[in-house]
Amino acid sequence: MPFIPHTADDVQTMLDAIGAPNLEALFEEIPPTLRLHEPPSLPEALNEQQATRLMEARAADYPRPLCFLGAGAYEHHIPAAVWEIVGRGEFYSAYTPYQPEASQGTLQVLYEYQSMMAGLTGLAISNASLYDGGSALAEALLMAVRANRKSKSKRILVPRTLHPLYRRVARAIVHNQGIELVELPYDPTGGHTPSEALAPYAGQDFAALVIPQPNFFGVLEDVDALTDWAHQHNILAVAVVNPTALAILKPPGAWGETGVDIACGDGQPLGAPLASGGPYFGFLCCRKEWVRQLPGRVVGRTVDLDGKPGFTLTLQAREQHIRRSKATSNICTNQGLMVTAATLYLSLLGPQGLEQVAATCHANMRTLVERLTQIPGVRSVFHRPVFHEAVLRLPRPAREILDGLLVHGILGGFDLSDDYPELENSVLVCATETRDETDLQRYTMALADLI
Amino acid sequence: MLIFDQSRPGRRAVIPAAAPEDALSDLPESLRRQRSAPLPEVSELQAVRHYTRLSQKNFSIDTHFYPLGSCTMKYNPRICHQLASLPGFLARHPLAPEILSQGFLACLHELQEILREVTGMHAVSLTPMAGAQGEFAGVAMIRAYHLSRNDHHRREILIPDAAHGTNPATAIMCGFSVREIPTDSQGDVDLAALRQAVGPQTAGLMLTNPSTLGVFERQITEIAAIVHEAGGLLYYDGANLNAILGKARPGDMGFDVMHINLHKTFATPHGGGGPGAGPVAVNTRLEPFLPIPIVGKEGERYRWLTEADRPHSIGRLSAFMGNAGVVLRAYVYALLLGRTGMGQVADYSTLNANYLLAELVKAGFEPAFPQRRASHEFIITLKRQAKTLGITAMDFAKRLLDLGYHAPTTYFPLLVPECLLIEPTETECKEDLDAFIAAMCQIQQEAESSPEQVKGAPHHQPVRRLDEVRAARDMDLAWQPTES
């Protein structure tokens, strides 16, 4: 019996103590018509060795192509020490720190994480994480609707330059509460959200404006102007940011005259492997005035009976286990272990290290775009500066060329034709710090070869 | 000491690849960060030592018996972690083409099938990233179902008063109002009150079975009939599925939709508060509304089912594929259990709970429902100790920490005063259960002979009881760099 320690003697002794004749008797309160009398129709158990063999074969199906695909999930180098420490049983197999005296490790990690995210975003407050970037945006929008008491409309302005999957996730979650997302067009030459896109909405009632930085095209938005426009119209500004980019880009807390109200995003670049999409974690930061509208766990520093500093979950009056139907969200379990990884990742890189990672990503992207656009028929679609992704137009349908690159062992990028049909034959390419000169050459030669 | 307190300007740990000097020359100043982010500057050893030491301040399943009721803190097999961490899984980009991903998709598809079989439901989506998101998906599907039938008046979700707080919070997130249904003295739903409550406004009922009171809801067939006759749907909160795995199935009880906490029943790690996973399972009438993506199988090929295949789906709840790595761990666990292992989970978790209950009752502790058989967890009430000795459930919980046990769940469910909700799980051996019983008896004796020892607990943890009022009032939620 895997993982079950009972000997036959144990079972008998325990049944005697209970006064039950056998194990079946323990289920006597389940109505007989509902009881199963046969085990489920499933395969027989595998042992560790058999399971290993099966899973190794399954994992080997993925040949680990050279990755130039980003679109919301980024291959970064993860220092060895990160998962060596995160994988310790004391972190891995603990639960939510309901008993703070026995959970000071997890609680202090979360406090340090909150501090690092507040520092990166330039905002006062961070929660202890949400599920992922897409669902964090949904929570940020629900939060903005609650917080913006000047707005009655439950309408939110969302640029089309925001990740299309984030837009879908946000809609799937917030539309249940009657919240409407109004899409803003982008500038066809800059790839950003121009002020002209906002002008038609001036004077109308909106709860929030979403500002991605960089946006889905990799392009840098005019974040100061967008933030100020929102505030001039009593609209809350909600930033969606890449945490690596924050090492070199202006933090949302400093955008425009007063900074944004809420910033969120996906923490995956900070120590989480690509892993088919998860687990990652969502981060959510805000100005101090909105703290009571914040969803999710928050850790605070306090003192114990002897005046010794310690950490505990706090502001729980916002949460479902206390407030039930009046809670700010239904979230309880979030992504604690991934946040532990992020805290280690940021500690090991430090400010200079993270800047170096971000700068190398950016430099690799610039080199890649220069090289690829020298191939006849390949050109940059947008002229504005980017972070570590860019949109390239190809002479043929992107799908066809991406399939060709795959034969060369290259994951060449994201085909934009489904989400942006107007961007014909276009592909979103990404280069992080993990790509080196050889990789860039390999991509360039393969693409030239195909075209 | 915080990691920030160890920081010294210029100190480095991991040095990444260097960028060219002019790497950022094309970025306008107005978009650039002006001051470095206030991150710690420490050596690799400092970071490793700091976080290793912090880890040692935690109770965890690997180090302590952790009978936290309603959380199913069973052993998290190392093999599940190791196999989910194979390079072919860890390196896989979420948007990688299906042709390179058949092995990964096969694992997900097979887990969908396993969950279908053990729940007795018709179809499964693995995407929800926690139990609460599974609840959200389930209730959003109930809403979508009624709306698809132009049944716009069903705006109310019924929830027993013993339910987890996530249930009412979820119903509100989905745009419903909530009506509470009382529980009778034996821990079952009050059927008369339920009959009174249902009507044309009823969208559905959310129920945990076995309930949060640690007993099986015996009238489930009647409950299902009442709700269905009123036109509502029945939601199964899978928090306690561990108790009936392989013994009974929510699908057979009449539930239309449910979630499964993989981090409970399928032994994936709790990680200090996540990541979990909360797949949803539904019967045929709700299948069109399942959240995407789902893995489909055509012949021998696996592929994602997305918007085009499922136009009525409630949509996506994560940008990619939920907590895929957690799902893989649960799949390996299911393989290791196999057909006979599933029922053994219920057998031995129920045996452990009933043994612990029987022995604690013999030792003088008061069960909340003395006439009832425990499920995989049970409640004792310390109201007598609180009244006669001034020793509360909280005091017992804190003293248990000193004796090397994580505390059971305290003060939940709200219906039972001074309660401890105790869930030992099937992976604990009899010796450890006996030691826990001895610890409870010791605390009872201390409560009578030296109550200060209990009221002042814990005495041997990294900190004593914390000032939570001050934490909420002062709101020290982030370290502040000193201005330089």
Side-chain angles (χ1 to χ4, degrees), chain A residues 6 29 36 41 61 88 94 99 101-102 106 111-112 115 168 275-276 302-303 306 308 355-356 362 366, chain B residues 12 23 26 33 36 51 55 58-59 90 92 103 117 247 272 307 352 372 398 462 464 467 476 479:
Chain A
H6 300 65
E29 290 194 1
L36 299 174
S41 107
D61 275 2
R88 287 178 65 91
Q99 295 293 336
E101 300 88 346
T106 288
Y111 178 86
E112 292 182 359
S115 306
R168 287 188 218 165
S276 292
T302 181
V303 294
D306 299 333
K308 187 177 169 188
E355 277 165 38
Q356 249 174 298
H362 181 68
R366 282 174 77 183
Chain B
R12 307 286 301 269
D26 65 325
R33 189 171 191 116
S36 284
Y51 291 106
S55 78
N58 270 2
F59 276 38
L90 276 195
R92 187 182 165 277
E117 170 63 21
K247 296 282 155 188
E307 285 84 351
N352 275 0
R372 299 295 304 268
K398 299 301 184 194
R464 297 182 63 202
D467 187 343
D476 175 358
W479 169 83

Side-chain angles (χ1 to χ4, degrees), chain B residues 39-97:
Chain B
L39 298 173
E41 298 178 76
V42 296
S43 73
E44 182 164 334
L45 174 58
Q46 283 181 303
V48 166
R49 193 172 284 162
H50 177 71
Y51 291 106
T52 300
R53 283 185 178 165
L54 286 187
S55 78
Q56 291 167 337
K57 294 185 180 184
N58 270 2
F59 276 38
S60 66
I61 300 170
D62 284 2
T63 53
H64 295 82
F65 180 41
Y66 211 124
L68 190 63
S70 187
C71 298
T72 311
M73 300 299 284
K74 63 167 95 173
Y75 172 60
N76 309 141
R78 280 299 187 282
I79 187 68
C80 303
H81 179 55
Q82 192 181 94
L83 297 183
S85 307
L86 287 167
F89 295 131
L90 276 195
R92 187 182 165 277
H93 193 285
L95 301 171

Side-chain angles (χ1 to χ4, degrees), chain B residues 405-419:
Chain B
Y405 298 93
H406 194 281
T409 296
T410 52
Y411 300 99
F412 178 82
L414 311 172
L415 294 184
V416 184
E418 298 297 333
C419 68

Side-chain angles (χ1 to χ4, degrees), chain A residues 321-371:
Chain A
H321 60 290
I322 306 291
R323 288 278 279 183
R324 302 176 74 85
S325 64
K326 305 264 190 316
T328 52
S329 167
N330 71 346
I331 193 166
C332 40
T333 290
N334 43 79
Q335 308 285 112
L337 200 68
M338 311 315 293
V339 158
T340 307
T343 309
L344 263 140
Y345 178 89
L346 290 171
S347 299
L348 290 166
L349 284 176
Q352 284 186 61
L354 196 66
E355 277 165 38
Q356 249 174 298
V357 169
T360 307
C361 289
H362 181 68
N364 281 341
M365 186 75 250
R366 282 174 77 183
T367 309
L368 184 66
V369 169
E370 272 167 33
R371 302 246 179 102

Side-chain angles (χ1 to χ4, degrees), chain B residues 162-224:
Chain B
H164 293 112
T166 48
N167 289 179
T170 298
I172 298 294
M173 266 189 103
C174 289
F176 286 110
S177 59
V178 171
R179 183 187 294 202
E180 279 203 348
I181 305 296
T183 302
D184 70 22
S185 63
Q186 290 302 304
D188 291 314
V189 167
D190 181 337
L191 278 192
L194 177 65
R195 282 198 189 91
Q196 288 269 313
V198 295
Q201 78 289 352
T202 304
L205 169 76
M206 298 179 83
L207 194 70
T208 310
N209 195 17
S211 72
T212 56
L213 300 171
V215 293
F216 191 86
E217 172 55 66
R218 294 172 290 193
Q219 317 165 102
I220 180 58
T221 311
E222 292 87 335
I223 292 170

